[in-house]
């Protein structure tokens, strides 16, 4: 007997057979079906939002200044968080020609759903709003898929005419990205030398020589699990696998260079500076008159620096060689703008006009730094400052910040090395080092608490060393922005600011000061006849870790800090102290913490000190580090308990 169920089973079998036939036919026609994209390796799923199925890069250098690069990458996106990694962003300019570009998008069954041609990529300028002009452009595409997983493939070929650096190859392009397979191939004529460095992974490496005078280098990796994003991570070069390729000899827009070491690097930079310090006679006269009555060289340098700060503004010009070579000093003088290269060179020119020698100095700022004294490469510098050696001192000038105190470089440029460019070449020098004792944030507060728990207080703050950056530049902000900053940053509920004042003192190692008078409703909590006053509302530890579970990367504190708080609570007359926390001291390899608390008549005096040492803590020590800050956090949460009389 034929039933409805029997008919449905027969139809289902025919449907499955037809689907398989269609898939086989699609596979026979090339890229329309890829069954390997219908599943992902379970071993690579942990912490991954995307899995790089295949990443193949081939770079062929054909001369001192020319290379071609081919790339193929296939990425399977597992969830919504991985969509960003599935987008293509390919930069180019008049020296980088895109020869080929296409993409393909596959659904969770491995079926092709989008075939993306070159014309389908959105083409746009690719510079940020602070850049005055740039000829950089980019081709962009986003799959805009909403069903997961899906897979996207991109392949392209570019030709580069003139370069000083080959982009560092990161087979793992970011966090929460696992890699199934990745390969880098670099081909170079045997007659053209280059150097390379790989780290953070035992790459399979092979070298072979061809019959046409080419040498081929190959690096590969397989099955790398995703690296999750964590707080206080070190620079990516310290944990992400990479291969760094750097030319020894190169040619860029008519300028030949040599990156054998930092000395030869400096000679190349020097060639870019030739004949770019000329100034008009009226400008020379003006700067000589400005400094004529100053007998001390340091004061003359300061006058020139403040002159540059007062009449120029920072803009970046990234067109052509302008990305590496400063504008003419006469142009900066005429237009009153420039980037770090131009403003540093302009300041150098003005000092030269009054007989003071200074040196153009390249540095890695913010998250970029000179990592290797024995491996010179352009990617380790991204900024320019000015070094002015004087008889008894060396002054370092950050020429892009109109509000920077004279001689102060700030967080971005301190505690690192730089390359001073001399006539003989580049010379590595040390920037000022700020220890945890130097980087002091001190708060003194007096607070009068009434019987309702409301408070009236006065706060004095000082920030020195590298802590100046967080407070010192607020002085020049509009008053409304200053008030908003205080309301957001002071950890006091129901805060009402009565008055405030920002001021700075000193140079080279300046100190920022802040005075605030305020009111705070319900600062203390009342329950029955008991009042609970937070012992440390002002300066709780802000070093937070999500959990005590295993750490994937080392913990990095870029510099050490010291926080001090001295608080005096004037208690309401109709309450008496029922409990105050006992003082405690914590010492560890990672920091120092102490607090004291005492009652003197109707006042409670509280002192707290936290020192965090700068540097790297190995991930194997993470549990001990977590425990230290966990104890600090618990001690910071203590309360003074009062009882109503």
């Amino acid at each position: 007997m034929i039933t409805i169920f029997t008919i449905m089973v027969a139809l289902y079998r025919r449907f499955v057979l037809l689907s398989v036939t269609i898939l086989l036919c699609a596979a026979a026609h090339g890229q329309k079906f890829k069954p390997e994209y219908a599943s992902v390796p379970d071993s690579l799923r942990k912490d991954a939002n995307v899995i790089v199925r295949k990443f193949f890069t081939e770079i062929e250098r054909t001369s001192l200044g020319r290379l071609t690069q081919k790339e193929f990458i296939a990425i399977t996106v597992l969830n919504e968080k991985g969509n960003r990694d599935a987008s293509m962003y390919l930069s180019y300019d008049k020296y980088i020609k895109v020869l080929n570009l296409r993409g393909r998008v596959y659904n969770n069954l491995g079926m092709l759903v989008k075939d993306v041609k070159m014309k389908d990529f959105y083409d746009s300028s690719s510079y940020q709003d602070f850049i005055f002009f740039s000829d950089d452009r980019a081709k962009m595409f986003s799959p805009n898929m909403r069903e997961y997983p899906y897979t996207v493939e991109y392949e392209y070929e570019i030709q580069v005419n003139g370069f000083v650096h080959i982009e560092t190859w990161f087979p793992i392009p970011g966090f929460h990205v696992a890699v199934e397979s990745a390969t880098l191939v670099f081909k170079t004529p045997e007659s053209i030398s280059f150097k390379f460095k790989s780290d953070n992974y035992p790459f399979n490496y092979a070298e072979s020589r061809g019959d046409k005078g080419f040498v081929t280098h190959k690096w590969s990796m397989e099955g790398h699990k995703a690296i999750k994003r964590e707080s206080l991570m070190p620079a990516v070069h310290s944990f992400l696998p990479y291969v760094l390729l750097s030319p020894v000899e190169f040619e860029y827009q008519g300028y030949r260079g040599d990156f054998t070491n930092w000395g030869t690097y400096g000679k190349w930079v020097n060639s870019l500076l030739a004949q770019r310090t000329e100034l008009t006679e009226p400008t020379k006269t003006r700067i000589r008159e400005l400094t004529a009555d100053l007998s001390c060289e340091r004061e003359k340098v300061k006058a020139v620096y403040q002159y540059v700060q007062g009449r120029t503004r920072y803009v970046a010009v990234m067109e052509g060689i302008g990305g590496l070579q400063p504008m003419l000093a006469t142009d900066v003088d005429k237009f009153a703008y420039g980037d770090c290269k131009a403003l540093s060179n302009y300041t150098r020119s003005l000092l030269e006009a009054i007989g003071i020698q200074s040196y153009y100095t390249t540095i890695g700022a913010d998250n970029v730094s000179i990592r290797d004294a024995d491996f010179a490469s352009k990617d380790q510098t991204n900024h320019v400052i000015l070094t002015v050696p004087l008889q008894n001192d060396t002054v370092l000038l950050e020429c892009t910040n109109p509000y920077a105190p004279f001689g102060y470089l700030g967080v971005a440029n301190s505690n690192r090395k730089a390359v001073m460019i001399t006539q003989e070449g580049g010379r590595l020098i040390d920037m000022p080092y700020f220890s945890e004792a130097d980087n002091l944030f001190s708060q003194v507060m007096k607070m009068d608490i009434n019987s309702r728990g409301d408070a009236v207080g006065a706060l004095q703050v000082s920030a020195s060393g590298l802590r100046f950056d967080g407070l010192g530049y607020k002085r020049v902000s509009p008053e409304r922005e200053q008030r908003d900053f205080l309301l957001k940053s002071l950890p006091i509920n129901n805060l009402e600011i009565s008055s405030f004042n920002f001021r700075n003192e000193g140079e080279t190692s300046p100190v920022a000061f802040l005075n605030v008078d305020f009111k705070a409703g319900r600062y203390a909590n009342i329950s029955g006849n008991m009042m609970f006053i937070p012992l440390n509302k002002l300066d709780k530890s802000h070093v937070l870790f999500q959990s005590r579970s295993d750490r994937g990367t080392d913990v990095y504190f870029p510099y050490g800090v010291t926080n001090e708080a001295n608080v005096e609570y004037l208690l309401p007359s109709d309450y008496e102290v029922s409990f105050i926390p006992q003082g405690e001291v914590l010492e560890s390899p990672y920091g120092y913490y102490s607090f004291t608390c005492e009652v003197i008549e109707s006042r409670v005096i509280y002192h707290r000190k936290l020192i965090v040492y700068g540097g790297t803590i190995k991930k194997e020590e993470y549990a001990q580090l977590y425990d230290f800050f966990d104890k600090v956090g618990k001690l910071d949460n203590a309360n003074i308990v009062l009882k109503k009389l």
Side-chain angles (χ1 to χ4, degrees):
M1 180 179 179
I2 298 177
T3 65
I4 296 295
F5 177 76
T6 306
I7 294 173
M8 291 181 66
V9 169
L11 289 173
Y12 176 75
R13 287 175 176 171
R14 290 183 64 187
F15 172 76
V16 170
L17 181 61
L18 180 61
S19 298
V20 171
T21 302
I22 291 173
L23 292 178
L24 290 174
C25 290
H29 286 82
Q31 306 296 325
K32 294 186 178 181
F33 172 62
K34 288 195 171 181
E36 63 268 30
Y37 295 159
S39 62
V40 295
D42 290 336
S43 60
L44 298 179
R45 282 183 175 271
K46 184 181 178 182
D47 296 322
N49 295 326
V50 303
I51 298 177
V52 175
R53 314 305 297 271
K54 182 179 180 180
F55 183 17
F56 180 82
T57 302
E58 181 181 275
I59 302 171
E60 182 174 338
R61 187 178 186 182
T62 54
S63 66
L64 282 179
R66 177 172 292 190
L67 61 81
T68 59
Q69 178 173 330
K70 298 177 182 178
E71 190 161 289
F72 172 86
I73 186 167
I75 300 172
T76 296
V77 180
L78 303 179
N79 53 52
E80 184 178 1
K81 293 179 180 179
N83 284 333
R84 185 174 181 179
D85 295 299
S87 298
M88 165 58 79
Y89 186 95
L90 181 61
S91 295
Y92 71 99
D93 56 30
K94 62 184 178 183
Y95 302 103
I96 301 175
K97 185 177 181 181
V98 180
L99 303 178
N100 178 45
L101 175 63
R102 68 176 303 171
R104 287 174 286 270
V105 184
Y106 299 84
N107 65 15
N108 60 345
L109 298 176
M111 294 291 296
L112 179 69
V113 294
K114 292 181 183 178
D115 192 358
V116 189
K117 304 293 195 300
M118 173 101 74
K119 61 182 177 61
D120 300 320
F121 286 81
Y122 178 69
D123 193 291
S124 173
S125 297
S126 66
Y127 59 91
Q128 295 169 287
D129 55 8
F130 64 82
I131 297 177
F132 180 67
F133 182 76
S134 169
D135 57 2
D136 289 351
R137 299 191 66 81
K139 292 185 179 295
M140 297 170 281
F141 176 78
S142 295
N144 294 322
M145 296 287 284
R146 292 294 179 265
E147 293 184 6
Y148 307 95
Y150 68 87
T151 300
V152 59
E153 293 179 345
Y154 297 110
E155 57 182 313
Y156 68 82
E157 180 178 359
I158 59 173
Q159 183 180 81
V160 180
N161 296 309
F163 62 93
V164 298
H165 175 66
I166 301 170
E167 287 296 322
T168 303
W169 188 69
F170 285 100
I172 301 176
F175 300 110
H176 299 282
V177 178
V179 175
E180 193 170 357
S181 171
T183 302
L184 169 65
V185 174
F186 181 68
K187 298 179 180 179
T188 182
E190 196 169 5
S191 58
I192 301 178
S193 57
F194 88 107
K195 54 186 180 179
F196 68 87
K197 178 181 180 180
S198 62
D199 206 355
N200 303 323
Y201 186 83
F203 290 98
N204 295 317
Y205 171 73
E207 178 182 328
S208 59
R209 297 178 183 273
D211 55 2
K212 295 183 179 180
F214 273 79
V215 182
T216 299
H217 304 264
K218 181 179 179 181
W219 296 264
S220 61
M221 68 181 301
E222 292 182 351
H224 198 292
K225 295 182 179 179
I227 297 174
K228 62 182 179 180
R229 187 184 293 276
E230 298 172 307
S231 59
L232 295 170
M233 299 181 79
V236 295
H237 282 87
S238 66
F239 63 90
L240 282 184
Y242 72 88
V243 177
L244 172 59
L245 307 172
S246 181
V248 175
E249 303 168 274
F250 63 91
E251 183 174 335
Y252 184 68
Q253 298 182 39
Y255 290 86
R256 295 190 69 163
D258 182 336
F259 277 1
T260 299
N261 51 49
W262 291 111
T264 58
Y265 163 88
K267 289 181 179 179
W268 170 70
V269 175
N270 225 346
S271 71
L272 302 179
L273 303 177
Q275 299 179 352
R276 305 193 81 77
T277 59
E278 291 298 321
L279 294 169
T280 64
E281 285 304 320
T283 296
K284 292 180 182 179
T285 299
R286 188 184 313 122
I287 210 69
R288 288 166 184 161
E289 290 175 349
L290 176 69
T291 59
D293 296 331
L294 302 173
S295 57
C296 172
E297 275 199 335
R298 182 184 176 88
E299 288 303 311
K300 290 184 178 183
V301 175
K302 181 178 179 180
V304 170
Y305 179 67
Q306 292 179 342
Y307 172 81
V308 173
Q309 286 183 304
R311 74 174 303 270
T312 63
R313 60 190 176 93
Y314 174 84
V315 297
V317 179
M318 304 298 291
E319 190 267 337
I321 193 72
L324 298 171
Q325 186 178 52
M327 296 165 53
L328 293 169
T330 50
D331 286 344
V332 178
D333 193 53
K334 178 180 178 181
F335 300 116
Y337 65 69
D339 59 12
C340 62
K341 301 179 295 297
L343 296 175
S344 296
N345 183 64
Y346 177 56
T347 308
R348 183 171 74 111
S349 305
L350 294 173
L351 291 173
E352 187 179 281
I354 57 172
I356 297 177
Q357 188 172 37
S358 60
Y359 297 94
Y360 191 87
T361 302
T362 64
I363 190 171
D366 293 316
N367 295 325
V368 177
S369 64
I370 295 176
R371 306 178 301 274
D372 197 334
D374 298 322
F375 193 101
S377 60
K378 182 63 183 71
D379 72 308
Q380 297 182 65
T381 63
N382 65 346
H383 187 50
V384 175
I385 60 173
L386 197 64
T387 302
V388 191
L390 301 177
Q391 186 172 357
N392 299 315
D393 191 13
T394 295
V395 177
L396 298 161
L397 302 178
E398 167 55 82
C399 299
T400 62
N401 188 336
Y403 308 113
F406 173 64
Y408 177 67
L409 292 180
V411 172
N413 300 312
S414 300
N415 290 23
R416 64 193 66 208
K417 292 185 179 295
V419 186
M420 187 171 72
I421 309 302
T422 71
Q423 290 300 318
E424 293 74 34
R427 187 198 311 168
L428 282 177
I429 60 173
D430 291 315
M431 295 293 98
Y433 178 80
F434 291 83
S435 69
E436 59 271 6
D438 299 318
N439 303 322
L440 175 62
F441 192 81
S442 175
Q443 301 181 88
V444 177
M445 183 171 71
K446 291 186 177 181
M447 182 175 287
D448 186 349
I449 301 175
N450 65 24
S451 57
R452 297 185 302 276
D454 301 331
V456 176
L459 172 65
Q460 297 177 329
V461 181
S462 66
S464 57
L466 299 181
R467 308 302 291 279
F468 175 87
D469 283 35
L471 195 62
Y473 297 115
K474 299 300 179 185
R475 181 182 59 84
V476 297
S477 299
E479 183 178 343
R480 183 174 179 178
E481 290 184 15
Q482 292 176 339
R483 184 177 291 274
D484 288 345
F485 165 76
L486 294 174
L487 290 172
K488 291 176 182 177
S489 60
L490 293 178
I492 299 174
N493 295 332
N494 306 314
L495 181 65
E496 180 183 333
I497 296 174
S498 305
S499 64
F500 63 89
N501 173 258
F502 290 88
R503 64 184 176 87
N504 300 336
E505 288 184 7
E507 55 190 42
T508 304
S509 294
V511 183
F513 294 95
L514 165 66
N515 292 323
V516 185
D517 294 321
F518 64 91
K519 298 177 182 179
R522 299 290 186 262
Y523 180 85
N525 296 315
I526 297 176
S527 178
N529 65 341
M530 309 298 287
M531 179 183 290
F532 301 86
I533 302 173
L535 181 64
N536 180 23
K537 193 77 172 176
L538 190 64
D539 195 27
K540 290 186 178 181
S541 173
H542 296 293
V543 182
L544 302 176
F545 300 98
Q546 293 180 349
S547 70
R548 197 177 185 274
S549 60
D550 290 343
R551 175 86 179 189
T553 60
D554 296 340
V555 176
Y556 178 64
F557 295 100
Y559 52 89
V561 298
T562 298
N563 282 13
E564 287 189 351
N566 291 280
V567 182
E568 179 180 315
Y569 295 102
L570 181 62
L571 307 178
S573 59
D574 52 345
Y575 279 83
E576 65 179 358
V577 175
S578 175
F579 168 80
I580 64 167
Q582 297 298 309
E584 192 155 348
V585 175
L586 302 176
E587 295 188 69
S588 83
Y590 320 113
Y592 169 90
Y593 174 87
S594 68
F595 85 89
T596 59
C597 190
E598 59 180 331
V599 179
I600 302 176
E601 297 178 347
S602 60
R603 297 173 298 145
V604 172
I605 309 299
Y606 169 71
H607 173 74
R608 174 191 186 269
K609 185 173 187 177
L610 173 64
I611 301 174
V612 180
Y613 304 134
T616 301
I617 294 94
K618 294 296 183 183
K619 60 184 179 182
E620 292 77 13
E621 301 176 45
Y622 173 68
Q624 298 95 296
L625 176 71
Y626 179 91
D627 289 342
F628 172 72
F629 283 107
D630 186 55
K631 291 177 183 177
V632 170
K634 289 175 180 176
L635 292 172
D636 278 346
N637 282 327
N639 286 292
I640 306 164
V641 182
L642 307 182
K643 184 177 181 181
K644 194 172 183 64
L645 295 173

